Amino acid sequence: MSGGSYYVPASSKWPILGALALGTMMIGTGMALVHGRGTPVMAAGLAAVLAVMALWFRDVIRESRRGLYDAQMDRSFRWGMGWFIFSEVMFFAAFFGALFYVRTFAIPWLDGEGAKGVAALLWPDFTASWPLMNPPDSSIAGPAETFSPWQLPLVNTLILVASSITLTVAHEGLKEGYRGTTRNWLFVTLLLAITFIGIQGVEYYEAYTHYGITLQAGIYGATFFLLTGFHGLHVIIGATILAVMFVRILRGHFSGDHHFGFEASCWYWHFVDVVWIGLFLFVYVF
C-alpha cells in the first residue's frame, strides 16, 4: 500500500527467515571459534542467508517490474542504499583508524616516546618504524619484506580506476537508451573486476610463500590482511552484484528513467574503488 509520503509493505516471510538464517550462521561461527566444531552449522547458516537474499531480491525485482513502486518507494530505496554505504564507510573507518593509531601512537610508545621510558626498559633494543619488520616480542616473527607499491598494487589500482570509468560509461549509456553500450561496457567492468580479484589472489600467494606476510606476522601482517581481505570480499560482492545487473540488462530490464537497481550497484562499486585508493596510499605507499 503506497501513499504520497509513506509506504506500507505487503506481508513477507523473508525478514523472519533472514533473521533465523543469520542467527544460525552466527551461532555456528561462535561454536567454530570457541569449540572448533561449528563449521557445518556456520556453513548451513551462510547458505540459508544467501538463499533468503536471492529469493527476497527476486521478489523485489518482480514487484518493480510490475510497476508496484511509486516515487516515495524509490526515495526509500535511495535512502536505504545511502545509509548502507555509510555503514560501510564506518566499517572501513574503524580499520583505517586502527592502522592510524598503531602507526602514530602505539609503536612510538613502545620505543619509549611519551611513556617515561617504561616501554624502553621492557624492549631496550626496539626501534619504532613502519612497516614493523621486527616486533618487540621476539616470539613473534615479522614479515621478511614488504610489497613494492609500484608493482601489483599499482596495477590493481589502475584496474579499479578503469573499472569505475567503464561502469560510468555503461550507466550513461543506459540513461541515454543505448542498451548495447551499457551491455558492452558493463561486461568490460566485470572482466576488470575478475582480473583484480585474480591479481589479489596472486599477491596473497606471494605474501604467504615469499614475503612472510601472514596474519601472525605482527601488527603489520594483521592490519594488511584485515584491510585488504575485507576489501577483497567487498570486490567479490560488488562483482556479483554487477553480474546480476548484466543478466538483467540481457533480459531487457531497466529503462532510462527507471533503473535504480543498476544505479545502486554503481554507487557500491565506486565506493569500493575509493576504499582501494585509500588502501593503496596508506597500506602500500606510506
Side-chain angles (χ1 to χ4, degrees):
M1 181 186 302
S2 181
S5 59
Y6 62 90
Y7 178 80
V8 180
S11 60
S12 173
K13 59 183 175 296
W14 300 125
I16 184 62
L17 292 178
L20 292 173
L22 188 60
T24 301
M25 186 178 72
M26 290 297 100
I27 291 172
T29 302
M31 292 170 59
L33 291 174
V34 176
H35 304 292
R37 297 191 299 271
T39 303
V41 177
M42 179 179 65
L46 176 60
V49 168
L50 295 176
V52 168
M53 290 175 64
L55 294 171
W56 198 346
F57 291 156
R58 178 206 62 185
D59 286 354
V60 171
I61 292 171
R62 289 177 175 176
E63 291 169 357
S64 177
R65 295 282 293 165
R66 289 162 56 191
L68 299 180
Y69 297 150
D70 63 2
Q72 173 59 25
M73 191 60 191
D74 182 73
R75 287 191 293 270
S76 297
F77 277 129
R78 292 177 183 275
W79 275 103
M81 189 65 187
W83 282 114
F84 170 70
I85 291 179
F86 176 75
S87 73
E88 293 281 64
V89 169
M90 300 309 296
F91 176 83
F92 278 101
F95 290 110
F96 276 109
L99 180 65
F100 173 80
Y101 179 83
V102 167
R103 293 179 60 171
T104 306
F105 298 106
I107 291 180
W109 287 343
L110 293 178
D111 195 22
E113 179 181 320
K116 299 181 180 180
V118 174
L121 291 175
L122 295 175
W123 298 289
D125 298 326
F126 175 72
T127 301
S129 64
W130 189 265
L132 187 58
M133 308 298 288
N134 298 299
D137 189 341
S138 59
S139 65
I140 300 175
E145 57 181 309
T146 59
F147 286 103
S148 168
W150 314 118
Q151 297 176 5
L152 291 182
L154 178 61
V155 172
N156 260 352
T157 301
L158 296 176
I159 287 173
L160 275 191
V161 171
S163 72
S164 269
I165 296 173
T166 58
L167 185 59
T168 300
V169 174
H171 188 198
E172 291 301 316
L174 181 59
K175 290 193 290 186
E176 297 297 327
Y178 301 122
R179 299 188 66 84
T181 298
T182 300
R183 180 193 63 236
N184 295 338
W185 286 102
L186 181 56
F187 181 71
V188 172
T189 305
L190 279 171
L191 290 180
L192 291 172
I194 294 170
T195 302
F196 176 92
I197 295 169
I199 292 177
Q200 194 73 49
V202 171
E203 185 179 75
Y204 275 15
Y205 173 80
E206 293 291 326
Y208 263 82
T209 58
H210 298 128
Y211 287 78
I213 304 175
T214 67
L215 279 169
Q216 291 76 37
I219 190 64
Y220 177 80
T223 55
F224 175 85
F225 280 107
L226 281 174
L227 281 163
T228 61
F230 275 118
H231 177 267
L233 176 62
H234 283 71
V235 171
I236 294 172
I237 294 172
T240 303
I241 294 172
L242 292 179
V244 173
M245 295 301 109
F246 184 72
V247 172
R248 293 190 66 187
I249 289 292
L250 294 180
R251 293 186 175 184
H253 293 194
F254 305 124
S255 64
D257 56 359
H258 185 72
H259 59 267
F260 178 68
F262 188 96
E263 187 175 349
S265 69
C266 294
W267 293 2
Y268 187 83
W269 190 254
H270 293 319
F271 160 75
V272 169
D273 291 355
V274 170
V275 170
W276 176 259
I277 292 175
L279 285 174
F280 177 69
L281 292 175
F282 297 109
V283 173
Y284 293 98
V285 177
F286 299 115

